[in-house]
Amino acid sequence: MPTTQPLNEAGQVAEQFNDIDQQVQSNLFGMWLFLSTELLLFGGVFAGFIVFRVIHGEAFAAAAGHLDLMLGSLNTALLLTSGLTMALAEQLVNNTRRRATLVMLLATIALGAIFIGIKGYEWYHEYEHHLMPVLGLPFEYPGEHPQQAELFFNFYFTLTGLHGFHMLVGLGLLSVIAILTWRWRDPPRIARQVQISGLYWAFVDVLWIVVFSLLYLLRS
Amino acid sequence: MTDYRLYLLTWLALLALLACAVAATHWLAGWLAWTTVALCALAMASLVIILFMGLRHANALLRVFGVGGVLWLGFLVVLTLADYLTR
């Protein structure tokens, strides 16, 4: 049975590489290396949060109860779905299916944009209830242990803000890739770009799974 | 199994794990809730890394990076906690 070559392993080899396999592996390795540095950035905040979550268990559990679990869960489902559409885009582009790839990329962008919209709504809701201890805004916590709750919300805005920034970068990246896919000028190169962007997008998914579990789900 | 079908099944598994974690938050308490949430999060992250990030087809070097990242994050959290909890 004949096997067809994936599109990302076709095309001209850049002059610094011996063959296309070395080029593809170098691309992937470079992205994984970059993602490792991202893990260092988030890992420190995760570790800090876990330490304070253990030390101030009761106060952090009560503060987590002020977050909207339904919207957080909906956002997680949206992001997991965008992970699926991005993975499908990678498969489709390798099978040289331009139109279907474009549809999946646009679906990923749309799901990511809805995620950001819902997150913005949540932030506005917390701003209205004076639960946003940033930029000198008043913090009026209705429960016990307001100082520890303020610490919780500091972590909340740092983690969701940092994650939201990465989402915006991802959305910008995917928009450029969608335009390149629409033009379809160098398909093998586009296939490699979709693969690399897919790695970044899936990593942002993984970060959200941890952020959501730490902030929203530990309520007892 | 085609990759398309595998990805769809992975997505369904991810949504099921999410539902399981949210249900644990509602109906369980204490260490049981924590353990369920942690296991669901670990399973979800592993599925995304192995399938959506293509680690199952990756060469040995990339697998070392993938596993190493999670392992060192684990060291960071466990050793930091060990310090605070034994003071």
Side-chain angles (χ1 to χ4, degrees), chain A residues 149-166:
Chain A
E150 187 171 349
L151 185 60
F152 173 88
F153 278 98
N154 274 313
F155 271 111
Y156 168 77
F157 284 105
T158 303
L159 279 169
T160 55
L162 207 54
H163 180 266
F165 172 72
H166 282 76

Side-chain angles (χ1 to χ4, degrees), chain A residues 54-131:
Chain A
V54 171
I55 294 173
H56 305 303
E58 199 184 323
F60 269 43
H66 289 269
L67 301 182
D68 194 325
L69 182 59
M70 198 194 77
L71 285 181
S73 306
L74 175 65
N75 253 353
T76 310
L78 284 172
L79 212 52
L80 293 174
T81 309
S82 78
L84 169 73
T85 52
M86 194 63 217
L88 290 176
E90 282 179 64
Q91 284 294 310
L92 290 161
V93 77
N94 269 336
N95 293 331
T96 330
R97 293 177 62 182
R98 173 180 165 261
R99 190 181 291 262
T101 305
L102 193 56
V103 168
M104 285 301 151
L105 284 173
L106 292 176
T108 310
I109 292 169
L111 288 164
I114 296 170
F115 176 98
I116 291 288
I118 292 176
K119 193 78 240 151
Y121 172 77
E122 271 191 84
W123 275 24
Y124 180 70
H125 185 74
E126 280 130 19
Y127 164 75
E128 274 195 320
H129 287 81
H130 299 143
L131 293 173

Side-chain angles (χ1 to χ4, degrees), chain A residues 25 29 33 81 91 95 220, chain B residues 3-4 11 25 30 34 59 65:
Chain A
Q25 293 305 324
F29 181 72
L33 195 63
T81 309
Q91 284 294 310
N95 293 331
S220 58
Chain B
D3 276 345
Y4 297 112
W11 174 65
T25 305
W34 278 53
N59 64 23
F65 262 74

Side-chain angles (χ1 to χ4, degrees), chain A residues 25 28-29 32-33 35-36 39 43-44 46-47 50-51 53-55 69 73 76-77 80-81 83-84 87-88 90-92 95 97 199 202-203 205-206 209 212-213 216-220, chain B residues 3-4 7-8 11 14-15 18 21-22 25-26 28-30 33-34 37 40-42 44-45 48-49 51-55 58-59 61-62 65-66 69-70 73 76-77 80-81 84-85:
Chain A
Q25 293 305 324
L28 291 173
F29 181 72
W32 275 93
L33 195 63
L35 296 179
S36 302
L39 191 63
F46 289 155
I50 291 169
V51 166
R53 181 67 185 77
V54 171
I55 294 173
L69 182 59
S73 306
T76 310
L80 293 174
T81 309
L84 169 73
L88 290 176
E90 282 179 64
Q91 284 294 310
L92 290 161
N95 293 331
R97 293 177 62 182
L199 271 180
F203 183 74
D205 265 18
V206 173
I209 289 168
F212 173 70
S213 302
Y216 288 79
L217 294 181
L218 301 180
R219 294 176 171 225
S220 58
Chain B
D3 276 345
Y4 297 112
Y7 287 149
L8 275 174
W11 174 65
L14 287 169
L15 291 185
L18 171 63
V22 174
T25 305
H26 277 297
L28 300 178
W34 278 53
V37 166
C40 287
L42 193 65
M44 281 195 280
V48 174
I49 291 170
L51 290 150
F52 288 172
M53 293 178 81
L55 207 62
N59 64 23
L61 190 60
L62 290 189
F65 262 74
V70 177
L73 180 62
L76 176 69
V77 171
T80 311
L81 264 182
Y84 277 94
L85 294 178

